[in-house]
Amino acid sequence: MKRKKLISIVCPTHRRAKLQYRFAENVYENAYDPDRSEIIFGIDNNDEIALETAEGLKEIYGNDFIKISLVEPGENLPNISNICAKSARGPIIGNAADDVVFRSKNWDITVLKEFQKFIKQNTLQQGAMSAQPQSNKEILTGIQRAVAPLKGKTYEANFGEVPFGDITQ
């Protein structure tokens, strides 16, 4: 039985095969449980280099970890991110450039624990992260900055049937 995805990482890329490989390897190798995450590469529909690279990454890491969203050439980054986010399966959607290096071991546990705090406080409706993590401290700082405006307000936690309980299970 497949486990539900918890974190989707949107990654626009364009003709940067080496960076795509490094990005996917970093995300996968440094995750506690890579089966709970996915990468969605936003690729111009005429970018054969990025498309071939993403297909190669699917062979290495599997179709369930690497996803492809094709976009029109010249589409702006916010629209590429939005197009990719529509196919995200995780309730937490991250946005990262293809040159970001995930150096923190178990980065996924850190992210899930931080979002879980806000879910328990009922102060976060949707999850989003956007960071260039150098350490767990920087991940936490980025998340805290992103959700700081939500403190003191009450929102309905809208994560559906996501089993956040013990995130190591």
Side-chain angles (χ1 to χ4, degrees), residues 54-94:
E55 292 295 345
L57 288 167
K58 282 183 172 192
E59 290 179 24
I60 296 169
Y61 298 107
N63 288 327
D64 204 44
F65 183 72
I66 302 291
K67 299 291 181 191
I68 300 169
S69 284
L70 295 177
V71 299
E72 292 296 321
E75 191 69 71
N76 66 46
L77 283 175
N79 284 344
I80 293 171
S81 295
N82 288 334
I83 290 165
C84 292
K86 287 179 184 175
S87 65
R89 294 176 288 166
I92 298 172
I93 301 172

Side-chain angles (χ1 to χ4, degrees), residues 4-162:
K4 188 166 185 145
K5 296 292 183 186
L6 296 177
I7 302 172
S8 299
I9 303 172
V10 170
C11 181
T13 188
H14 185 74
R15 298 179 189 250
R16 297 178 4 149
K18 287 182 183 177
L19 292 177
Q20 270 181 278
Y21 273 106
R22 184 183 74 182
F23 182 82
E25 180 182 55
N26 278 208
V27 171
Y28 190 88
E29 296 297 326
N30 288 316
Y32 175 81
D33 186 356
D35 291 337
R36 300 299 283 269
S37 301
E38 67 182 350
I39 297 171
I40 306 166
F41 284 112
I43 300 172
D44 288 354
N45 61 20
N46 67 353
D47 186 349
E48 293 178 23
I49 294 169
L51 188 55
E52 283 180 29
T53 302
E55 292 295 345
L57 288 167
K58 282 183 172 192
E59 290 179 24
I60 296 169
Y61 298 107
N63 288 327
D64 204 44
F65 183 72
I66 302 291
K67 299 291 181 191
I68 300 169
S69 284
L70 295 177
V71 299
E72 292 296 321
E75 191 69 71
N76 66 46
L77 283 175
N79 284 344
I80 293 171
S81 295
N82 288 334
I83 290 165
C84 292
K86 287 179 184 175
S87 65
R89 294 176 288 166
I92 298 172
I93 301 172
N95 193 344
D98 57 8
D99 59 354
V100 169
V101 175
F102 280 62
R103 293 188 180 125
S104 299
K105 274 302 220 191
N106 302 327
W107 64 267
D108 50 338
I109 295 292
T110 303
V111 169
L112 291 170
K113 283 181 177 178
E114 285 305 303
F115 275 100
Q116 193 170 40
K117 289 178 188 176
F118 292 98
I119 292 165
K120 285 179 181 176
Q121 296 170 7
N122 202 24
T123 57
L124 183 65
Q125 184 174 6
Q126 296 178 355
M129 65 176 191
S130 182
Q132 297 186 7
Q134 302 298 318
S135 67
N136 284 345
K137 183 178 178 185
E138 288 187 26
I139 291 175
L140 302 182
T141 302
I143 292 170
Q144 289 164 351
R145 271 196 314 266
V147 297
L150 300 177
K151 287 189 175 184
K153 297 180 182 176
T154 303
Y155 296 91
E156 178 184 347
N158 187 14
F159 284 89
E161 300 298 317
V162 179

